[in-house]
Short mmCIF file of all heavy atoms in Angstrom, two decimals:
data_model
loop_
_atom_site.label_atom_id
_atom_site.label_comp_id
_atom_site.label_asym_id
_atom_site.label_seq_id
_atom_site.Cartn_x
_atom_site.Cartn_y
_atom_site.Cartn_z
N ARG M 1 -162.32 -97.33 64.84
CA ARG M 1 -162.82 -98.71 64.59
C ARG M 1 -164.29 -98.74 64.74
O ARG M 1 -165.00 -99.43 63.92
CB ARG M 1 -162.14 -99.60 65.63
CG ARG M 1 -160.67 -99.82 65.42
CD ARG M 1 -160.02 -100.52 66.64
NE ARG M 1 -158.64 -100.81 66.41
CZ ARG M 1 -157.79 -101.31 67.33
NH1 ARG M 1 -158.24 -101.58 68.51
NH2 ARG M 1 -156.53 -101.48 67.01
N VAL M 2 -164.93 -98.13 65.78
CA VAL M 2 -166.30 -98.30 66.06
C VAL M 2 -167.09 -97.05 66.35
O VAL M 2 -168.23 -97.19 66.86
CB VAL M 2 -166.44 -99.42 67.15
CG1 VAL M 2 -166.12 -100.79 66.67
CG2 VAL M 2 -165.62 -99.02 68.38
N GLY M 3 -166.57 -95.98 66.23
CA GLY M 3 -167.28 -94.72 66.43
C GLY M 3 -167.21 -94.24 67.86
O GLY M 3 -166.24 -94.54 68.58
N ASP M 4 -168.20 -93.44 68.39
CA ASP M 4 -168.04 -92.79 69.62
C ASP M 4 -169.16 -93.19 70.68
O ASP M 4 -170.07 -93.99 70.26
CB ASP M 4 -168.14 -91.27 69.41
CG ASP M 4 -167.28 -90.48 70.46
OD1 ASP M 4 -166.89 -91.08 71.47
OD2 ASP M 4 -166.97 -89.34 70.18
N PHE M 5 -169.16 -92.62 71.81
CA PHE M 5 -169.96 -93.13 72.92
C PHE M 5 -171.42 -93.14 72.58
O PHE M 5 -172.08 -94.10 72.91
CB PHE M 5 -169.77 -92.11 74.10
CG PHE M 5 -168.45 -92.18 74.85
CD1 PHE M 5 -167.75 -90.98 75.07
CD2 PHE M 5 -167.93 -93.40 75.16
CE1 PHE M 5 -166.61 -91.01 75.70
CE2 PHE M 5 -166.66 -93.40 75.80
CZ PHE M 5 -166.05 -92.30 76.12
N GLU M 6 -171.92 -92.08 71.96
CA GLU M 6 -173.37 -92.09 71.67
C GLU M 6 -173.86 -93.22 70.74
O GLU M 6 -174.93 -93.77 70.92
CB GLU M 6 -173.79 -90.68 71.06
CG GLU M 6 -173.22 -90.39 69.72
CD GLU M 6 -171.96 -89.64 69.71
OE1 GLU M 6 -171.12 -89.88 70.60
OE2 GLU M 6 -171.73 -88.80 68.80
N ARG M 7 -172.99 -93.58 69.83
CA ARG M 7 -173.29 -94.66 68.92
C ARG M 7 -173.43 -96.01 69.75
O ARG M 7 -174.37 -96.76 69.45
CB ARG M 7 -172.22 -94.81 67.79
CG ARG M 7 -172.44 -95.97 66.90
CD ARG M 7 -171.38 -95.94 65.80
NE ARG M 7 -171.50 -97.21 64.91
CZ ARG M 7 -170.66 -97.36 63.91
NH1 ARG M 7 -169.70 -96.51 63.67
NH2 ARG M 7 -170.84 -98.45 63.24
N TRP M 8 -172.45 -96.23 70.62
CA TRP M 8 -172.52 -97.43 71.44
C TRP M 8 -173.70 -97.47 72.36
O TRP M 8 -174.33 -98.54 72.61
CB TRP M 8 -171.18 -97.59 72.26
CG TRP M 8 -169.97 -97.31 71.46
CD1 TRP M 8 -169.78 -97.34 70.16
CD2 TRP M 8 -168.63 -97.08 71.98
NE1 TRP M 8 -168.47 -97.14 69.76
CE2 TRP M 8 -167.80 -96.86 70.85
CE3 TRP M 8 -168.19 -96.93 73.23
CZ2 TRP M 8 -166.40 -96.61 71.05
CZ3 TRP M 8 -166.89 -96.60 73.47
CH2 TRP M 8 -165.98 -96.43 72.38
N ILE M 9 -174.07 -96.29 72.95
CA ILE M 9 -175.17 -96.23 73.82
C ILE M 9 -176.45 -96.49 73.14
O ILE M 9 -177.27 -97.35 73.69
CB ILE M 9 -175.13 -94.86 74.55
CG1 ILE M 9 -174.00 -94.81 75.58
CG2 ILE M 9 -176.51 -94.61 75.27
CD1 ILE M 9 -173.74 -93.36 76.05
N ILE M 10 -176.62 -95.94 72.05
CA ILE M 10 -177.88 -96.15 71.28
C ILE M 10 -178.03 -97.59 70.88
O ILE M 10 -179.07 -98.21 70.98
CB ILE M 10 -177.93 -95.19 70.04
CG1 ILE M 10 -178.07 -93.75 70.54
CG2 ILE M 10 -179.06 -95.59 69.11
CD1 ILE M 10 -177.89 -92.68 69.44
N SER M 11 -176.88 -98.12 70.40
CA SER M 11 -176.92 -99.58 70.00
C SER M 11 -177.23 -100.44 71.18
O SER M 11 -178.06 -101.36 71.10
CB SER M 11 -175.57 -99.88 69.40
OG SER M 11 -175.50 -101.33 69.11
N SER M 12 -176.59 -100.24 72.33
CA SER M 12 -176.84 -101.02 73.56
C SER M 12 -178.25 -100.91 73.98
O SER M 12 -178.86 -101.91 74.55
CB SER M 12 -175.85 -100.62 74.61
OG SER M 12 -174.50 -100.81 74.22
N MET M 13 -178.85 -99.71 73.95
CA MET M 13 -180.23 -99.56 74.37
C MET M 13 -181.16 -100.31 73.41
O MET M 13 -182.30 -100.46 73.73
CB MET M 13 -180.61 -98.09 74.41
CG MET M 13 -179.92 -97.31 75.59
SD MET M 13 -180.74 -95.70 75.82
CE MET M 13 -180.47 -94.90 74.26
N GLN M 14 -180.65 -100.61 72.17
CA GLN M 14 -181.51 -101.16 71.14
C GLN M 14 -182.62 -100.14 70.73
O GLN M 14 -183.75 -100.41 70.44
CB GLN M 14 -182.18 -102.52 71.54
CG GLN M 14 -181.17 -103.54 71.84
CD GLN M 14 -181.78 -104.87 72.33
OE1 GLN M 14 -182.86 -105.18 71.96
NE2 GLN M 14 -181.00 -105.60 73.20
N ALA M 15 -182.13 -98.84 70.72
CA ALA M 15 -183.05 -97.72 70.37
C ALA M 15 -182.66 -97.34 68.86
O ALA M 15 -181.64 -97.84 68.37
CB ALA M 15 -182.81 -96.55 71.29
N SER M 16 -183.38 -96.40 68.40
CA SER M 16 -182.97 -95.85 67.08
C SER M 16 -182.46 -94.51 67.33
O SER M 16 -182.78 -93.73 68.26
CB SER M 16 -184.22 -95.79 66.05
OG SER M 16 -185.26 -94.97 66.63
N ALA M 17 -181.63 -93.99 66.35
CA ALA M 17 -180.94 -92.71 66.52
C ALA M 17 -182.00 -91.49 66.50
O ALA M 17 -181.74 -90.53 67.30
CB ALA M 17 -179.99 -92.52 65.30
N ASP M 18 -183.09 -91.69 65.79
CA ASP M 18 -184.10 -90.55 65.82
C ASP M 18 -184.87 -90.57 67.17
O ASP M 18 -185.68 -89.59 67.32
CB ASP M 18 -185.05 -90.70 64.59
CG ASP M 18 -185.78 -91.96 64.56
OD1 ASP M 18 -185.76 -92.82 65.50
OD2 ASP M 18 -186.45 -92.28 63.54
N GLU M 19 -184.73 -91.52 68.00
CA GLU M 19 -185.36 -91.46 69.35
C GLU M 19 -184.43 -90.72 70.37
O GLU M 19 -184.85 -90.52 71.46
CB GLU M 19 -185.65 -92.86 69.90
CG GLU M 19 -186.70 -93.62 69.09
CD GLU M 19 -186.84 -95.04 69.66
OE1 GLU M 19 -185.90 -95.85 69.55
OE2 GLU M 19 -187.93 -95.29 70.22
N CYS M 20 -183.25 -90.33 69.96
CA CYS M 20 -182.27 -89.78 70.89
C CYS M 20 -181.78 -88.40 70.39
O CYS M 20 -181.82 -88.09 69.17
CB CYS M 20 -181.04 -90.68 71.02
SG CYS M 20 -181.47 -92.38 71.54
N MET M 21 -181.41 -87.59 71.28
CA MET M 21 -180.76 -86.30 70.99
C MET M 21 -179.38 -86.26 71.74
O MET M 21 -179.38 -86.59 72.92
CB MET M 21 -181.62 -85.13 71.29
CG MET M 21 -181.91 -84.89 72.74
SD MET M 21 -182.93 -83.44 73.02
CE MET M 21 -181.95 -82.13 72.44
N VAL M 22 -178.36 -85.78 71.13
CA VAL M 22 -177.08 -85.72 71.70
C VAL M 22 -176.69 -84.27 71.92
O VAL M 22 -176.76 -83.49 70.99
CB VAL M 22 -176.03 -86.47 70.84
CG1 VAL M 22 -174.64 -86.44 71.53
CG2 VAL M 22 -176.43 -87.85 70.58
N VAL M 23 -176.29 -83.93 73.20
CA VAL M 23 -175.83 -82.55 73.43
C VAL M 23 -174.40 -82.69 74.03
O VAL M 23 -174.13 -83.29 74.98
CB VAL M 23 -176.69 -81.83 74.47
CG1 VAL M 23 -176.05 -80.47 74.80
CG2 VAL M 23 -178.12 -81.70 73.93
N GLU M 24 -173.46 -82.16 73.21
CA GLU M 24 -172.02 -82.21 73.57
C GLU M 24 -171.72 -80.98 74.54
O GLU M 24 -171.21 -79.94 74.20
CB GLU M 24 -171.18 -82.07 72.27
CG GLU M 24 -171.32 -83.21 71.34
CD GLU M 24 -170.44 -83.09 70.22
OE1 GLU M 24 -170.14 -82.02 69.67
OE2 GLU M 24 -169.99 -84.21 69.65
N VAL M 25 -172.02 -81.22 75.81
CA VAL M 25 -171.80 -80.18 76.85
C VAL M 25 -170.34 -79.78 76.95
O VAL M 25 -170.05 -78.62 77.26
CB VAL M 25 -172.39 -80.61 78.20
CG1 VAL M 25 -173.93 -80.68 78.18
CG2 VAL M 25 -171.78 -81.95 78.66
N TYR M 26 -169.41 -80.68 76.72
CA TYR M 26 -167.97 -80.44 76.91
C TYR M 26 -167.53 -79.52 75.74
O TYR M 26 -166.39 -78.93 75.79
CB TYR M 26 -167.23 -81.68 76.90
CG TYR M 26 -167.08 -82.42 75.62
CD1 TYR M 26 -165.86 -82.55 74.95
CD2 TYR M 26 -168.16 -83.08 75.09
CE1 TYR M 26 -165.71 -83.20 73.76
CE2 TYR M 26 -168.04 -83.74 73.83
CZ TYR M 26 -166.79 -83.77 73.23
OH TYR M 26 -166.67 -84.50 71.97
N MET M 27 -168.39 -79.36 74.69
CA MET M 27 -168.05 -78.46 73.60
C MET M 27 -168.90 -77.21 73.62
O MET M 27 -168.95 -76.48 72.69
CB MET M 27 -168.27 -79.25 72.24
CG MET M 27 -167.30 -80.37 72.08
SD MET M 27 -165.61 -79.88 71.80
CE MET M 27 -165.66 -79.10 70.23
#
């Protein structure tokens, strides 16, 4: 419905995706 955690976090911070880097440590 709405994607995954990183998408929600970036949206809630009111940041842009290119300001963030995601590392999937569990993978």
Side-chain angles (χ1 to χ4, degrees):
R1 292 169 176 172
V2 288
D4 213 342
F5 291 132
E6 65 270 33
R7 178 177 175 181
W8 311 344
I9 288 168
I10 292 168
S11 175
S12 298
M13 288 195 300
Q14 299 177 30
S16 61
D18 60 8
E19 292 177 294
C20 303
M21 64 179 297
V22 180
V23 176
E24 296 182 326
V25 290
Y26 73 110
M27 296 293 290

